[in-house]
Amino acid sequence: MARPSLRRRLLALILALSAVAWLAVGITAYVEVRHEARRLFDEDLSHRDARHARDEIVEALGKSLVWPLLAALPALGLAIWLGVGSGLRPLGELRRELARRGPGDLARLDAARTPVEIEPLVAELNRLFGRIDEALERERRLTADAAHELRTPLAVLSTQAQVARRAASEAARNEALDAIVVGSERAARLIEQMLTLARLESGQGEGAVQRADLRALARAALADAAPFALGKNLDIALEEGAAVEVAGYPGLLQVLLRNLVDNAVRYTPRGGKVRVAVGGDGRTARLEVSDNGPGVPPQELARLGERFHRLAAPGETGSGLGLSIVLRIAELHRGGVRFAAGHGGAGLAVSVELPR
């Protein structure tokens, strides 16, 4: 069953109210005139003549009230129909403008001639177009960067596979196969990081806000990085302190800590140190991951967190997305990230502040 249009609803409502008001006025006038006529004619005429005259007056009064109502209602309905149509014309123009747009046309709607009643609707549509445009731009940028970054590891895998295929000795074949394994792991990590970043950009996968213990999450991140750290003879530790809880997404905070610890372990040379500290006050929680590695040149600190931006480090081939993910997770928690030189001016210290 088709729903009635707004114009028809307004027309029916106004006509009904007009008819009720008119009838109320007519009935009131009828009762008042009847009362006055009864009083007048009962005083000056005989009972029979008074009743007859009164009935004639009331009948004439009723006709004078009903016939204008019957004649005016169609004219009133036509006037209301035209008036409502004129008032709703901006909605029709808005509908036609939206219908003319293509899928990629997210330009702002012109609100200059928009009536006050639908101005909030146009404003919300413009904000929605802006959010969609930003999301599409992030997706296009991520897709372009991903295509560029995946080209290198895939080319390396193809080259090493051909080397293994044509190897003249077992040692050469094994060396090429080892390179294929390393390249596959790098490509897998890159794809995992890109999928994580894509989920964060689209706002999916956060789950429900919960209380999360940052110290427990940091301890788990260090445990995950321990095998790699032991292979490099690194000293990694979580500084002592009390539990620090924040309201957030525990899964994303675990990713944040894992990426920070993984970066520190990857870029710290053999025999170095990695420290994780968790603290804060009643309003803000702070966590810091620091190392005593080669550090980052001052001119490069501002670029940390850019997508696919990697520092030259011998023997390490990261994806360049770890710190981008850290920045995005901190933003989702209304927090901030600061990069600075490590303690004593050596290495790098990454500090994250989150509201509690």
Side-chain angles (χ1 to χ4, degrees):
M1 181 178 178
R3 291 177 294 177
S5 66
L6 181 58
R7 177 188 289 186
R8 291 179 180 176
R9 288 181 178 180
L10 290 175
L11 176 62
L13 178 62
I14 295 176
L15 284 179
L17 292 176
S18 300
V20 170
W22 208 316
L23 287 175
V25 171
I27 292 173
T28 303
Y30 172 81
V31 172
E32 184 66 23
V33 169
R34 183 181 178 88
H35 173 72
E36 291 297 326
R38 179 190 295 272
R39 184 181 60 81
L40 176 64
F41 287 103
D42 284 350
E43 292 177 356
D44 299 335
L45 299 175
S46 64
H47 181 72
R48 183 174 182 182
D49 293 337
R51 185 174 59 184
H52 179 70
R54 183 178 64 236
D55 291 341
E56 287 182 352
I57 293 174
V58 171
E59 183 180 355
L61 178 62
K63 291 179 179 180
S64 66
L65 290 173
V66 172
W67 285 114
L69 174 63
L70 296 178
L73 278 179
L76 180 61
L78 178 61
I80 293 173
W81 181 269
L82 296 176
V84 172
S86 176
L88 295 178
R89 187 175 296 116
L91 282 177
E93 294 175 355
L94 178 62
R95 179 188 61 80
R96 287 188 291 272
E97 181 178 353
L98 292 174
R100 287 193 299 266
R101 292 192 172 203
D105 187 359
L106 296 173
R108 293 176 60 85
L109 296 169
D110 183 15
R113 295 182 299 172
T114 301
V116 176
E117 291 78 9
I118 64 173
E119 187 176 354
L121 172 63
V122 175
E124 288 300 328
L125 284 174
N126 285 333
R127 280 192 283 269
L128 175 62
F129 290 157
R131 292 194 297 269
I132 294 175
D133 189 41
E134 291 175 2
L136 291 176
E137 179 59 30
R138 288 195 298 265
E139 183 178 340
R140 285 190 292 266
R141 189 166 63 248
L142 181 62
T143 302
D145 292 342
H148 173 74
E149 291 296 323
L150 283 172
R151 189 179 296 116
T152 300
L154 292 179
V156 170
L157 288 176
S158 176
T159 301
Q160 294 298 334
Q162 294 176 19
V163 170
R165 192 175 188 180
R166 299 172 184 173
S169 65
E170 188 70 20
R173 182 178 296 106
N174 289 336
E175 183 179 354
L177 291 175
D178 290 340
I180 291 175
V181 172
V182 173
S184 300
E185 292 176 349
R186 178 189 174 191
R189 176 171 174 77
L190 176 60
I191 293 172
E192 178 186 359
Q193 296 281 57
M194 286 191 300
L195 291 175
T196 300
L197 188 58
R199 285 195 297 268
L200 292 174
E201 295 289 3
S202 63
Q204 299 176 356
E206 292 98 339
V209 174
Q210 303 175 21
R211 301 298 299 178
D213 183 358
L214 292 181
R215 181 166 296 277
L217 295 177
R219 192 177 296 111
L222 288 174
D224 291 340
F228 188 26
L230 289 175
K232 296 180 67 174
N233 194 27
L234 297 180
D235 177 13
I236 63 174
L238 174 63
E239 295 184 359
E240 295 293 331
V244 177
E245 289 191 346
V246 296
Y249 308 106
L252 296 184
L253 292 173
Q254 182 69 66
V255 172
L256 180 146
L257 277 159
R258 188 168 59 239
N259 280 353
L260 289 179
V261 172
D262 181 75
N263 268 7
V265 170
R266 283 178 177 273
Y267 291 99
T268 300
R270 300 182 65 86
K273 296 180 180 180
V274 175
R275 292 289 182 268
V276 178
V278 179
D281 52 34
R283 299 181 59 183
T284 305
R286 298 181 182 86
L287 61 92
E288 182 182 85
V289 179
S290 60
D291 61 69
N292 64 344
V296 178
Q299 65 272 17
E300 290 286 341
L301 285 176
R303 297 196 61 190
L304 290 180
E306 291 183 9
R307 293 178 181 178
F308 300 107
H309 176 66
R310 292 187 294 267
L311 298 175
E316 295 300 336
T317 54
S319 65
L321 289 176
L323 292 180
S324 299
I325 293 173
V326 168
L327 290 176
R328 181 57 179 150
I329 294 175
E331 180 184 345
L332 286 174
H333 287 81
R334 302 184 304 281
V337 181
R338 186 172 61 89
F339 303 102
H343 302 293
L348 175 69
V350 183
S351 301
V352 181
E353 292 191 355
L354 303 172
R356 300 189 67 173

